[in-house]
Amino acid sequence: PPNITTQSPRKSSTLQINGFSIADTLSFAEKRVQLTVGARYQQLMGDNFNLATGARTSDYLQDAISPSVALVVRPWKEVSFYGNFIQGLQPGTVVGPTFANAGEVFAPFQSTQFEVGTKIDWGKFTTTLSAFQIRQPSAISNAATNTLTQDGLQRNRGIELNVFGTPAEGVRLLGGAMLQEAILVSTQ
C-alpha cells in the first residue's frame, strides 16, 4: 500500500435547518376556482470552522417567513389553468479555496419563484405546460481583493412540458422536456 500521511478530516461548516408551514385552500364556483394561501417559517443556523485548526470562525442564525399563493381555475372539467408564487430561504454559498476569504459561508438568501401553466386531461393521458421564473442572489468575484461576495443576481426562466398516462392496460408512461434560460443579470 502507498505510504501516505493522512490527517483526520476537519469540518468546514455545519448547517441546521428548521421550519414549518401552514396553508389553507378556499374553493368556490363548485370547486372550479381554488385559492391557496400559505406561509412558511424557516430558520437556518450555521457554524463555520477553520480547516487548519478546527476553530469556529463565524456563525449565523437567520430566519424568514416566506409567503406562498396559488390560484387554480377550471373553466372545463378537463382543463385547469394555474399560477403560483413562493419564496424560500436557502443556505449561502461556501467560498472556494482559491479566494482570500476561502471557507467563508455566506448568509442565507431568499429565492423567489413565479409559475403559470395549464393542465389538460385527455382521457388516457394528461399534459401540463408551464412557464416559470426563479430569482436568487449569485456570487461575484473581486479580482482586486481576490474575494468572493454574494452581491450578484441570477434569473432562471423556463418552459416545461410533461406528459403522463396509461396508453394501454398495464402500461404507464411519464415523460417531459424543459427549456431553461439561466442568466446572471447582475455581475461585476
Side-chain angles (χ1 to χ4, degrees), residues 146-167:
N146 190 32
T147 57
L148 194 68
T149 61
Q150 193 165 275
D151 296 326
L153 179 64
Q154 178 178 341
R155 182 184 69 213
N156 301 315
R157 287 182 176 164
I159 297 174
E160 185 174 14
L161 172 67
N162 288 298
V163 179
F164 57 92
T166 309

Side-chain angles (χ1 to χ4, degrees), residues 106-167:
F106 297 138
F109 60 87
Q110 209 156 18
S111 63
T112 302
Q113 175 182 316
F114 295 94
E115 180 182 15
V116 294
T118 186
K119 175 181 172 185
I120 302 175
D121 183 347
W122 301 94
K124 291 191 175 209
F125 65 96
T126 301
T127 57
T128 63
L129 178 65
S130 64
F132 62 88
Q133 174 177 286
I134 303 169
R135 293 171 62 100
Q136 65 186 36
S138 67
I140 293 180
S141 62
N142 183 327
T145 61
N146 190 32
T147 57
L148 194 68
T149 61
Q150 193 165 275
D151 296 326
L153 179 64
Q154 178 178 341
R155 182 184 69 213
N156 301 315
R157 287 182 176 164
I159 297 174
E160 185 174 14
L161 172 67
N162 288 298
V163 179
F164 57 92
T166 309

Side-chain angles (χ1 to χ4, degrees), residues 6 10 12 43 59 64 69 72 75-76 81 86 97 100-101 103-104 115 121 131 134 140 143 148 181 187:
T6 60
R10 297 190 188 263
S12 61
Q43 180 186 63
D59 61 6
V69 177
V72 177
W76 305 281
F81 297 102
I86 191 165
N101 58 335
E104 180 182 349
E115 180 182 15
D121 183 347
I134 303 169
I140 293 180
L148 194 68
E181 174 188 61
T187 65

Side-chain angles (χ1 to χ4, degrees), residues 43-59:
Q43 180 186 63
L44 301 178
M45 294 181 285
D47 290 306
N48 306 312
F49 301 92
N50 181 307
L51 287 174
T53 66
R56 183 171 21 170
T57 57
S58 64
D59 61 6

